[in-house]
Amino acid sequence: MNRNKLLDKPYLVWALLFIIVPLIMVAYYAFTDRTGAFSLSSVSQIPSYIPTILLSVLYGLAATVICLVLGYPFAYIFSKFSVSRQRMMVLLVMLPMWMNFLIRTYSWMTILGDTGIINTILTKLGFEPLGLINTGGAVILGMVYNFLPYMILPIYSVMSKMDNSLIEAAEDLGSNKFQVMRRVVLPLSKPGVLSGITMVFVPCVSTFYITQKLGGGQIVLIGDVIETQFQSANNYNLGAALSFVLMILILICLGVMNYFGADDNNDGGVVI
């Protein structure tokens, strides 16, 4: 018993230093002014940023839906491969993640730019160059590219452990492939889907580097506003207040995902 109590102490120290203390600091700056006195001036400015917050949620939802549409069939297909091929596919999915996030995002500038690879090929073929960079589509593309593995891997993890005898039983009882997918595969893969949605939506809503490089300042999300307040404006109080709102938004997202995954969690599934 004493040994078990000692094992959780490093985690408690970690949680205290890197979770509890930062949250207290965010709350402190959000409800104080530059002098450190209690103030609601920063909180009162939040309503003026509601359109930006809603736009961030919209972009996050769009990227999450695209990742789900692309990631689910991909995870299902390679979960049916042999074990050795599954390991290779997991390696290929994770391989881009070994590269620095900034480099991965910056590389898309050379692909989508006015003189980038795509427009260069179009020009040589006699077509007019397209305005691909500094658009909302480019921002969503950057989100999907960077966060798609976070959708694929949780779904694959659940599907690879799925009991195939359940699928065989459904087929023996007369279910076709569509019915097997709808009544067996989809319900059993629900924990992985919910985890993937959470792991993609949260960073999409709070991102700022992708919008800066692929949006070119034309697309401003809540992450950009917070980064500006901390880096350029030196307004830590407003930045903390907006971060507090973003944190509440993320907690709501986690609560919704865990609510829908409650039954699966009781059976051993984990949403987050």
Side-chain angles (χ1 to χ4, degrees), residues 204-230:
C204 282
V205 171
S206 58
T207 188
F208 61 90
Y209 187 80
I210 295 176
T211 54
Q212 290 177 0
K213 295 304 178 183
L214 301 182
Q218 305 299 318
I219 309 297
V220 179
L221 303 184
I222 189 62
D224 299 289
V225 178
I226 295 173
E227 193 266 346
T228 299
Q229 298 301 321
F230 279 102

Side-chain angles (χ1 to χ4, degrees), residues 180-192:
V180 170
M181 177 64 68
R182 182 171 62 87
R183 296 179 178 178
V184 180
V185 177
L186 286 176
L188 291 178
S189 62
K190 183 180 174 182

